[in-house]
Amino acid sequence: MSSVGGKRQPPAIRLWGPWWERFLGRTVPPEWNCCQGRSVLVGVIDRYLTRQILLASAVAVAAVVAPVILISLISHLGEEALYTSLVWPALASTGPMILFHVLPALVAIAIVWSYGRFAADGILIVIYSSGRSTFAARLPGFAVAFAAVALGYLLTCWVVPLTSGHLHDVLFSLRRGVNPALLKVGVFNQFDHGRQVFYFRNYIKGNELADVFIRQAMSDGEERVFKARYAVFERQGDESGLVLLDGTVQSLRSGQSEVRGVAYARIFVPLNEYGFGGVKRDYTIIDEVPLQDFLDGRSKAMADPGTAREWIHEALNRLGIPLLALLHTWLGLELLPVWRSFGDSRGPRALLVCAAIGALHFFMVLTIEQTLVDLRTTWAVGGLFLAELALALILALRRRGGAMAAPSATPAVSMRLGMTGVPALHAGLALWDGGAAALANGPHDQLPNAIAPPCP
């Protein structure tokens, strides 16, 4: 007891153990009434739930996205490109593309798994016993889901159009240009669909090569073959190429049967090496188009079946996939019956729901990809969205109907709850959620000892 102005004051209220105090950094002042103390307790719990859900989401995203990005880079560039400068522009494009595709499922799975763990740990007992509804208990999860939706739209509408061109440039350069880091020793390296062939026996040191063979098919039909004992990669002004030493060049023009050959001591052969401005795309892919230009081009795109498929596919990616974070979360929480049997283990049940969400998301993304082949698949995509929304709504209405019918058992439940030390007012509040019957039948030792008393 403390003394202020000669009057003895009651001690400050301590909130449910030391870790709550570490989270708040202080105790509740004694002049706060019971309603304020209970409100602070529930607010602290909400922040704790939000923090745990965010942590679970970050771990899930990091654990899944990083390996998927690595696999995607290997499949697009090849294993050799991972050790070159090509990996950075490709990573800047691949990362956001993969992230917005998997983010809705990973966040929803993290939220469902977290709520299953909260139920098993008894945290939800405190929330429901304080009189909060099921929706209020789920608000931290829905807040994280809304944040995932916002992040998804940021990625699809701004980041991906801004960065996707880097990957297209790299892939274009690998098909049409020569990059020294990707040349394989003792192999006929082909570029530009075989119009350029590059071979060398071995590296001497650094960028110096030995026994070089180059075949080039020119745009005017002329074919040239260079042979050299030595070669060095160099830049001359704005051009990047290969300096050939001590060799010969043979030329065969289109329509002629005579091959002309010339010996040389030194010659410079320009190469379209990526990174030096030699390779430039003269076209734009639809995922590079800014959002406003993309929306404005709808009428023109719909005039042709091929461009219509591309536009619909891109529209579903940009505007539809981010919204799945909220839909998956809602459906997952409705499938996971957190409003019953608060003391039971939620591990196996949460695992099944998480697996169902992952399978559903994979199937929906796969169906969206099929719109590039058949435009009628758009109806199937819309049907999947509506079916998921309808199922979540039906489960929510069913749970709401069960909660409204629960107060018929008030006397018996209140008696059992009274044995555990929970006041009758808390029993009535818990009955509104439809879970008090299960709470009364559960083990008494799972109720926390620090539930705030009801307000007068």
Side-chain angles (χ1 to χ4, degrees):
M1 301 288 286
S2 60
S3 177
V4 177
K7 297 182 179 180
R8 299 178 66 84
Q9 300 290 334
I13 302 172
R14 300 177 66 85
L15 292 180
W16 202 14
W19 72 279
W20 286 113
E21 296 177 4
R22 290 197 300 270
F23 187 90
L24 284 174
R26 63 183 184 277
T27 57
V28 179
E31 61 269 17
W32 286 20
N33 59 33
C34 59
C35 291
Q36 289 174 318
R38 188 174 64 189
S39 176
V40 170
L41 177 61
V42 173
V44 170
I45 294 176
D46 285 342
R47 290 194 293 271
Y48 169 77
L49 298 184
T50 304
R51 188 172 62 178
Q52 293 299 313
I53 293 171
L54 287 174
L55 178 61
S57 302
V59 171
V61 170
V64 174
V65 172
V68 173
I69 290 178
L70 180 61
I71 295 173
S72 179
L73 289 176
I74 294 176
S75 63
H76 281 96
L77 307 182
E79 188 175 353
E80 297 83 2
L82 294 180
Y83 306 99
T84 68
S85 59
L86 293 176
V87 70
W88 299 114
L91 181 61
S93 300
T94 306
M97 288 181 185
I98 292 177
L99 181 58
F100 89 80
H101 275 96
V102 302
L103 184 66
L106 294 178
V107 170
I109 288 173
I111 293 173
V112 171
W113 180 263
S114 297
Y115 271 88
R117 185 167 56 87
F118 296 153
D121 293 343
I123 298 176
L124 294 179
I125 301 175
V126 181
I127 299 178
Y128 285 101
S129 299
S130 67
R132 303 192 76 188
S133 64
T134 301
F135 177 76
R138 295 176 179 178
L139 275 179
F142 284 129
V144 175
F146 272 112
V149 172
L151 178 59
Y153 280 124
L154 177 66
L155 291 171
T156 59
C157 297
W158 185 70
V159 177
V160 171
L162 190 65
T163 61
S164 60
H166 299 313
L167 178 62
H168 299 314
D169 288 338
V170 171
L171 297 178
F172 181 83
S173 70
L174 292 179
R175 292 191 299 266
R176 297 181 177 271
V178 176
N179 190 295
L182 300 181
L183 295 176
K184 298 179 181 179
V185 180
V187 176
F188 287 93
N189 303 273
Q190 297 187 20
F191 304 93
D192 199 3
H193 303 286
R195 285 189 286 269
Q196 192 169 43
V197 179
F198 196 101
Y199 172 91
F200 66 101
R201 188 180 301 276
N202 61 284
Y203 280 104
I204 299 178
K205 61 177 180 179
N207 60 345
E208 299 180 9
L209 313 177
D211 295 333
V212 178
F213 171 89
I214 301 175
R215 175 184 173 273
Q216 292 179 334
M218 313 302 292
S219 58
D220 58 0
E222 181 182 2
E223 182 177 323
R224 296 177 182 175
V225 176
F226 297 87
K227 296 180 181 179
R229 294 184 60 186
Y230 304 101
V232 181
F233 284 101
E234 286 187 359
R235 290 193 63 183
Q236 294 187 1
D238 295 333
E239 284 190 320
S240 175
L242 198 65
V243 176
L244 302 179
L245 305 173
D246 191 12
T248 61
V249 54
Q250 296 178 335
S251 174
L252 175 63
R253 293 185 177 274
S254 177
Q256 296 182 359
S257 58
E258 182 180 357
V259 177
R260 295 183 300 173
V262 177
Y264 58 84
R266 176 188 174 94
I267 190 174
F268 178 78
V269 179
L271 299 175
N272 291 328
E273 182 183 349
Y274 175 74
F276 295 98
V279 176
K280 294 293 184 181
R281 286 188 297 125
D282 55 357
Y283 57 87
T284 301
I285 300 178
I286 192 170
D287 59 2
E288 302 176 74
V289 180
L291 178 62
Q292 189 59 49
D293 295 340
F294 172 76
L295 297 177
D296 294 341
R298 176 184 177 277
S299 300
K300 183 179 179 181
M302 290 301 174
D304 178 70
T307 56
R309 289 194 296 269
E310 293 182 356
W311 195 94
I312 291 294
H313 171 265
E314 185 65 19
L316 291 173
N317 278 331
R318 294 195 186 195
L319 306 178
I321 288 183
L323 193 60
L324 291 176
L326 186 59
L327 282 178
H328 291 339
T329 299
W330 187 16
L331 179 61
L333 292 179
E334 295 297 343
L335 290 175
L336 181 67
V338 295
W339 58 91
R340 300 178 191 158
S341 306
F342 298 134
D344 294 345
S345 175
R346 285 301 190 278
R349 185 180 300 169
L351 184 61
L352 291 176
V353 175
C354 292
I357 292 176
L360 175 62
H361 183 77
F362 176 80
F363 182 73
M364 295 181 74
V365 171
L366 185 63
T367 306
I368 290 175
E369 293 300 317
Q370 294 304 310
T371 56
L372 287 172
V373 180
D374 190 350
L375 195 57
R376 292 174 296 182
T377 316
T378 308
W379 295 102
V381 175
L384 289 173
F385 273 81
L386 292 177
E388 183 174 5
L389 178 62
L391 179 58
L393 183 60
I394 291 172
L395 292 175
L397 293 176
R398 180 182 177 184
R399 171 179 53 81
R400 177 68 175 175
M404 297 298 291
S408 60
T410 303
V413 174
S414 300
M415 183 180 302
R416 293 293 301 274
L417 287 175
M419 295 173 62
T420 63
V422 180
L425 176 60
H426 281 197
L429 292 173
L431 280 171
W432 186 88
D433 187 66
L439 178 60
N441 295 325
H444 296 171
D445 57 359
Q446 294 199 15
L447 287 173
N449 297 323
I451 296 178
C455 298

